[in-house]
Amino acid sequence: MPFRLLFIGDVVGEVGCAAVRALVPTLRRELELDAVIVNAENSASSGRGITPDSGSALLSVADFLTLGNHSFDAEGGREYLGYEQRVIRPANFAEKLPGRGWGTFEVGEVRVGVANLQGRVFMRETPGSPFKAADEAVTELEGSEADLILVDMHAEATSEKQAMGYYLQGRVQALLGTHTHVPTADARILSGGTVYVTDVGMTGSMSGIIGLDKEDFMDLFLGRKPSRIGVSEGPAALNAVLIEVDVEGRRATGIERVYEEPI
Ligand SMILES: [Fe+2]
Ligand SMILES: [Fe+2]
């Protein structure tokens, strides 16, 4: 039996967290899931960062969380990363920052390794090389006897994510892109049994712009300078990918998109 893992893209605000909590228990049954991993970088009620509340809401139904450029944007996030072992932030962040860039969790006999990377192209922040960090993360996860390795590459540029896919093919079982909040239609299996998609898409309100308030964004683009860009209210859709891994053979054997209508 292949190992079946659902990876859910950037969860935005309370509406996104509510959708994950409502949908994941059913998806676990219907899709016969062994594990669920969620990108939580926008899960705080502000839509930026993670808080102890948003993290524990997601971990009530998920096994493990990844983050991105907004990792430390919400109050309580830094402390949370200090004590919650089931959440990681990009491995190429400065070493002195709280949290870790990779980690493992166990489902029965299977130890799942997860790493998080952030891209540098078109990003405001300039972390260290994600490629160097990827090498280190993979070596460390192999050393901790991970049976399969999934990497969340949180990046803006499709080229940088595709490059990372080829860089890690055959060394990890999944390279999944996040950050743009819009799913891409290129899910495929690279050589060596690595599943790849440029962006998983977000889990949040479909009435806004990338899950945030569209009027605030209009103000920004039309030069009216909004005081803040809030979370878009309204029902949230869920975007995810379901991946299958032959654990014995250390190869991913399938990837398919999962979309749940707004609830
Ligand atoms: Fe995001
Ligand atoms: Fe992001």
Side-chain angles (χ1 to χ4, degrees):
M1 278 285 283
F3 190 87
R4 292 167 67 82
L5 190 152
L6 188 75
F7 182 92
I8 300 175
D10 302 46
V11 173
V12 186
E14 286 172 15
V15 289
C17 289
V20 169
R21 288 186 65 169
L23 293 167
V24 166
T26 313
L27 289 171
R28 275 192 187 265
R29 272 196 311 279
E30 287 179 357
L31 300 177
E32 299 178 57
L33 302 174
D34 297 299
V36 177
I37 301 175
V38 179
N39 182 296
E41 74 139 10
N42 305 108
S43 62
S45 55
S46 62
R48 283 167 198 79
I50 186 171
T51 63
D53 279 355
S54 71
S56 58
L58 294 172
L59 284 170
S60 69
V61 294
D63 299 284
F64 206 83
L65 307 177
T66 57
L67 295 168
N69 55 307
H70 291 301
S71 293
F72 304 122
D73 287 0
E75 207 170 318
R78 286 171 177 266
E79 296 73 22
Y80 186 61
L81 261 72
Y83 63 80
E84 178 52 76
Q85 300 293 303
R86 293 173 293 171
V87 57
I88 55 173
R89 46 76 169 165
N92 50 328
F93 276 10
E95 229 170 88
K96 63 178 193 291
L97 290 171
R100 301 162 306 136
W102 56 84
T104 62
F105 65 94
E106 281 167 39
V107 181
E109 303 276 280
V110 178
R111 180 171 296 184
V112 181
V114 190
N116 198 185
L117 302 169
Q118 186 189 309
R120 295 198 287 190
V121 179
F122 307 136
M123 302 290 283
R124 196 175 303 168
E125 312 79 6
T126 50
S129 163
F131 295 88
K132 265 175 78 176
D135 287 336
E136 191 186 358
V138 169
T139 303
E140 291 288 328
L141 287 170
E142 283 171 347
S144 58
E145 292 177 352
D147 294 303
L148 64 103
I149 299 175
L150 177 149
V151 179
D152 171 357
M153 171 72 172
H154 193 82
E156 184 75 37
T158 52
S159 56
E160 198 177 17
K161 290 191 260 193
Q162 289 188 336
M164 188 62 78
Y166 290 124
Y167 191 67
L168 290 179
Q169 68 182 359
R171 293 200 277 160
V172 305
Q173 283 64 54
L175 190 287
L176 308 176
T178 57
H179 176 69
T180 71
H181 291 206
V182 178
T184 54
D186 62 338
R188 62 194 166 123
I189 307 179
L190 302 176
S191 76
T194 300
V195 288
Y196 173 87
V197 67
T198 298
D199 211 291
V200 175
M202 68 158 187
T203 295
S205 164
M206 298 307 272
S207 344
I209 293 175
I210 61 169
L212 301 175
D213 188 90
K214 62 174 178 292
E215 301 305 329
D216 292 347
F217 257 119
M218 290 299 176
D219 285 347
L220 177 74
F221 292 132
L222 296 174
R224 292 194 291 256
K225 292 218 172 100
S227 53
R228 61 187 275 275
I229 296 181
V231 171
S232 174
E233 295 306 322
L238 179 142
N239 278 291
V241 288
L242 169 63
I243 68 174
E244 284 194 342
V245 180
D246 165 10
V247 175
E248 293 281 293
R250 285 190 90 87
R251 298 176 70 86
T253 52
I255 178 166
E256 65 183 71
R257 289 198 31 72
V258 174
Y259 175 75
E260 292 289 320
E261 291 288 343
I263 58 161

